[in-house]
Amino acid sequence: MRKFNIRKVLDGLTAVSSAASASSAAQQQQAGNRESEIQETLQSEHFQLCKTVRHGFPYQPSALAFDPVQKILAIGTQTGALRLFGRPGVECYCQHDSGAAVIQLQFLINEGALVSALADDTLHLWNLRQKRPAIIHSLKFNRERITFCHLPFQSKWLYVGTERGNIHIVNVESFTLSGYVIMWNKAIELSSKSHPGPIVHISDNPMDEGKLLIGFESGTVVLWDLKSKKADYRYSHDEAIHSVAWHHEGKQFICSHSDGTLTIWNVKSPTRPFQTITPHGKQLKDGKKPEPCKPILKVEYKTTRAGEPFIILSGGLSYDTVGRRPCLTVMHGKSTAVLEMDYSIVDFLTLCETPYPNDFQEPYAVVVLLEKDLVLIDLAQNGYPIFENPYPLTIHESPVTCCEYFADCPVDLIPALYSVGARQKRQGYSKKEWPISGGNWGMITQSYPEIIITGHADGSIKFWDASAITLQVLYKLKTAKVFEKSRNKDDRPNTDIVDEDPYAIQIISWCPESRMLCIAGVSAHVIIYRFSKQEVTTEVIPMLEVRLLYEINDIESPDGEQVPPLPTPGTGSNPQSIVPQSHPSTSSSSSDGLRDNVPCLKVKNSPLKQSPGYQIELVIQLVWVSGEPPQQITSLAVNSAYGLVVFGNCNGIAMVDYLQKTVLLNLGTIELYGSNDPYRREPRSPRKTRQPSGGLCDINEGTMVPEDRCKSPTSAKMSRKLSLPTELKPDLDVKDNSFSRSRSSSVTSIDKESREAISALHFCETFTRKADTSPSPCLWVGTTLGTVLVIVLNLPPGGEQRLLQPVIVSPSGTILRLKGAILRMAFLDTTGSLVSPAHEPWREHNVPEDKDEKDKLKKRRPVSVSPSSSQEISENQYAVICSEKQAKVISLPSQNCIYKQNITETSFVLRGDIVSLSNSICLACFCANGHIMTFSLPSLRPLLDVYYLPLTNMRIARTFCFTNNGQALYLVSPTEIQRLTYSQETCENLQEMLGELFTPVETPEAPNRGFFKGLFGGGAQSLDREELFGESASGKASRSLAQHIPGPGGIEGVKGAASGVVGELARARLALDERGQKLGELEEKTAAMLYSADSFSKHAHEMMLKYKDKKWYQF
C-alpha cells in the first residue's frame, strides 16, 4: 500500500517532466489545434493494484478436508495454496508463504478455523471468520518430520504423528506443545527388533476418548491407553498399512494394506484379523489366497441405521488391469460398485449427516479429489450418480491457449449465450442439491456484465460469465468439428505444421455488439462465426484458400561471394491464384513434386448440422506453396459493419470480404510500403517467374475486378512469391517469439527483415491523409518492426448493393514508426472519448425478413453506427499507438506526434490495452519485467507503476489482458485464472464483494446414550484431556523440539475464532494470553537461539568427524 502513496507524491513531478518532453512536439502544432482543451480527469489516486479472486481447479492438489456442520470444503496444493469452497459463488484462495506442499488439513469443526500441516514440518492455524482468512499461529518442528495429524471433534488437543513413529500433542488454542509424548519404543512390543516405521494413522476410539489407535507403516497397530500411558493391545500384520478406519461402535476397525487387502479387527482379539477381504482379487480354487493387488491407499467405514455399512476405498485393483483408469470402490452389503475416474485419485472423503464419530454415520455423498477434477458421488441414489459441479473447475478441460476479457458488455449478451449454452448440458446427474452449501455471498456492488473467453488446445472456445467476481460457464463452441478428423497417425496427412493439437486457438477477435466471432488457429486457419438462435444445416461449408508466402532465390555473385538474398520492391506484382472453393483442394503437389496449394486441415465435405449459438460463416485456410508450409497467423481483426476480416503473419497480410466470400487483398509485408520502404531494401535483378497453378491476370495495386472472381474459381492475388529460408521461419506466434526476436527497429540483416510480421490490426473510421476533410473507413496495420501503415477501404452502399458491388482496398503508405513491435491502436475524438470501431447491431440471420426490414437495410449504410461519423468536418481525431517500447499520440489529419512516452528502456511491453475507467480512458501496460503501468490519454502522463508479477513463463505472457473498469486477468497456473484490479474504487469495495465462509450454525445435539447404556455402562466415555496433557500434569515440552511463530492474525484472530467449546476456553484464557504475549515472544527468541546453537554444535561435530583422521596436508 505504501508504494501507491509514494507514486502519488511523485505524480506531480512525472506530470511536469512528461509535459515538458511533450511540449516541444506540441509547439509544432498549428495554433488552431484543440488538444489542450481535453480535460483529463484521471489522477494517480484513482489507481491501486490488488488481486481480487482466483477461479478454476486448484493446481496440483494434495490434501482435502470438510466441515460437516459449516458445509465448507478445503483443498490444499503442492505449492502451499489453500482453496476453500462453500455454496456456488463462495470461494476463497489463500497461500502459505513458504510455498511448501500441504500434506494434511483438519477443520476445527464449526469453529471457523482450520489447521494445515505442510511438508516443511510446520503446522498453521487459519482463522476463517474473516473474509480473507489469515494465519493466527504457526508451529515449526525442528527435529521430527510430520506424517499424520488428528484432531478429535470438539477437542483442543491435536495429535501429531511423525516419521520417527512418535506422537506429539499440540494445544490448538495457544499452539504450544504438551509435555505428553507417545514414544514409538513404548508403543510397540519390547521384543520387536525393528523400527515400526512412520505413523500413518491416529484416531481415538469413538466410544472411548481415552483410547488412541495408532497405525505404523510397517503393519503394526497399537491401541494406546492415554491415562495409563501404555498399550492395551497390539495388532500385527505382515503387509504395510496405508489407512485405518473405525466402526462407529468402537468394537471394530478396518485397515487397508499394500497388497490390496482389507483386514477387519475386533478390538479385543489382537492375534489375528476377524476378516480379510481382497475387493479386487481373483478368488482361486482350493482355498488358496487370492493374487496380490495394487495397494488400497485409503479406506472409510461408514454405518447406516437402516442397512448395511458402506466400505469405500481407493486403489486395490489387480495388477493385470493394465491401462485401466483409477477407481473408487463402494462396497455396500453384497454389492460392489467400481466407479472409474478420469484422473488419478489424490484423496476422498465421505460426507455424513453427523459430526459425531460415535453415532450412525448415515453417509450421503463421497467427495473425490482427483489430480485435475473434483467429483461428488451421490450415495443415496441407485447407480451412484454424480452431482453436477457448480464451480468453474473446467477451465483446463483442454489446456488454455489464449484469453480475452470484456467488461461492460451489452446487457443482452449473457442471457443470449446462457440460453444457447443451457442446451449443451449433460444429463444423468443426481437430482439433489449440491451438498457443499456453506458461507454467504458478498454484496454485489458492480452491476456491469463481464465476459471472459478462453481458447483451448483442442480448438474449443468457452464463454464465461465473469460478472461481480464470480465465474460461470455460459457456452462452449467446438471449432474443430468443421474439419475431418484423422482416425490414427497413419491416416494423418503430412500437411500438418504442428504434430499435436492442430486445432489449437491462437487469437480470438470478437465484436460483442454484433456478436461476430473470428478465431485464428495454429494450423494457419481462420474461422468466422455468426450468432444465431436457430438450428441450421449447412450443406456446403463456405471455404477460401489463400496463398501467402515469399520466395527468395539465391543469387550467384560474379566474385563467388554470397550476397544476402533480398526481395524486390516495386509497383508491379506477380499475381497468383487464390482458390476459393467449397471443398478441399485437389492439387496437392506442384510440377517438381513439392507440396503445393494444400491447406493443413481438411474441411468436411458432408452437410454440417449447426446447433443454436455460433455458426460457421466462412473458413479461410492458408495453403502450402511449393513445399513451404504456411506461417502461423500473428494478428486478426473482424468488422461487422464493413463485412471484412483481416489477418497477417510474418509473410504478409490478407483481407477477406466474408459477405461476398472473396479475397480483397493479399500482400507481402514489404509490398504494403510500396515506394516508401523505410528500410532501404535494395532491388535486385528480376528472377524467372514460376508459373503458379491457376489462371493469371494483371492487376494494379488497389483495384480489383470482383466480377472475374464471381465467374471463376481462381482469382488474382496481389502478392509476390518470396519463399523464406526455412531456418528463418519463426516457429512461434509473435507473442511467443517476442523473447528471441530482436527488439531493434533498425534492420540490417535478412533475418530481421524476414521476421517483419503483422502484429496489430485495427478497423476504424478516421482521416487517412493529411489533406482529408472528413473521416473514412480504413484499416490501420502495425508491424513487428514498429511501422504503422494505413489501408483505405472503399465500401459499396448497404443492402443488396453490398453483396453485388466490390469493396475496393488501397494501401496508402506509412503513417509513422515506433520502437518495438506495434501492440495496440485506438482512436479518440476531440473530447478525448474513445472512438469505437463501426459495428452492425446483432440481428437473427436465419429468419426471413419482411419487406419493411429489407427496405431499411437498403437505405442503411453499415458504418452509420460509428460515433465518429457524426462529428463536424473540421474536428480532428487522435490516434493512440502502443508498441513494445513506447506509446505515441498522433493528431489527425495533420499526422503530427503531439505526445510520446517511452514506456520501458530495458524490458518490453507484453500487453497494452486502451481501457475506460471512471468515465475516462487510459492506456494500461504489462511489461515483461513484471511492472503494471497506466498512462493518461491523450497526454500519456504516468499514473501507476507497480512491480506486480515477474514473467516466469509464457503462459502469463499469452493470457494477460486488461479490460474496462479497472479489471485484468491472466492464467496463474495451467488450471486457474487470477483476476486483479487496478482501480482504487474496486479495491475499496472488494471487502464487501467477497463472500463469507463462516456462518453461525448450531452444532447438532450429541447422540442419546439410551437408558440401558447409561445404567449398565457402555456408550461414549469422555476424557479430561486438559488433566492429561496440560502443563501441570505432563510438564513442558522440550523447547528445541518445535518453535512457535505468531501469525499475522495474532490475538485479534483468536478473538474472532473464539466460540463453541474451544471458544469458551479461549475467552477465559484471552486475558492471560495478552499479558503473556511479551513473555512468549522472549521465550520464542530464546528457543530460536537455542536451536541455532544446537545446529552450530551439530555442524561443528560433523566437521570434527570429517577431518578427525586427516593429516594437515590433506586439508
Side-chain angles (χ1 to χ4, degrees), residues 33 81 110 270 329 332 345 483 561 627 714 742 768 784 810 888 996 1009 1021:
N33 277 349
N110 207 24
T329 306
H332 184 221
I345 297 170
F483 300 110
E561 288 179 14
T714 61
S742 162
T768 52
T784 52
S810 47
K888 284 185 180 179
E996 287 185 82
R1009 287 175 66 185
Q1021 300 290 314

Side-chain angles (χ1 to χ4, degrees), residues 111 156 173-174 1054-1055 1057-1073:
E111 297 288 345
K156 68 168 188 177
E173 283 176 9
S174 61
V1054 178
K1055 280 178 184 164
S1059 89
V1061 175
V1062 175
E1064 293 301 326
L1065 294 160
R1067 280 196 201 94
R1069 290 197 173 76
L1070 208 53
L1072 285 169
D1073 274 358

Side-chain angles (χ1 to χ4, degrees), residues 981-1002:
T981 183
Y982 47 96
S983 154
Q984 166 74 28
E985 188 186 356
T986 308
C987 285
E988 284 176 0
N989 294 335
L990 185 60
Q991 195 67 14
E992 286 177 31
M993 293 163 69
L994 292 171
E996 287 185 82
L997 286 165
F998 181 81
T999 46
V1001 180
E1002 284 290 318

Side-chain angles (χ1 to χ4, degrees), residues 1032-1077:
S1032 55
S1034 60
K1036 283 191 176 180
S1038 164
R1039 285 181 181 176
S1040 59
L1041 181 63
Q1043 180 186 348
H1044 177 260
I1045 306 150
I1051 292 296
E1052 291 306 311
V1054 178
K1055 280 178 184 164
S1059 89
V1061 175
V1062 175
E1064 293 301 326
L1065 294 160
R1067 280 196 201 94
R1069 290 197 173 76
L1070 208 53
L1072 285 169
D1073 274 358
E1074 283 169 351
R1075 280 200 296 274
Q1077 197 172 17

Side-chain angles (χ1 to χ4, degrees), residues 315 317 323-328 338-345 370:
L317 293 178
R324 187 164 176 186
R325 293 192 293 180
C327 291
L328 186 83
V338 181
L339 310 173
E340 287 197 342
M341 302 291 157
D342 290 336
Y343 307 101
S344 54
I345 297 170
L370 307 175

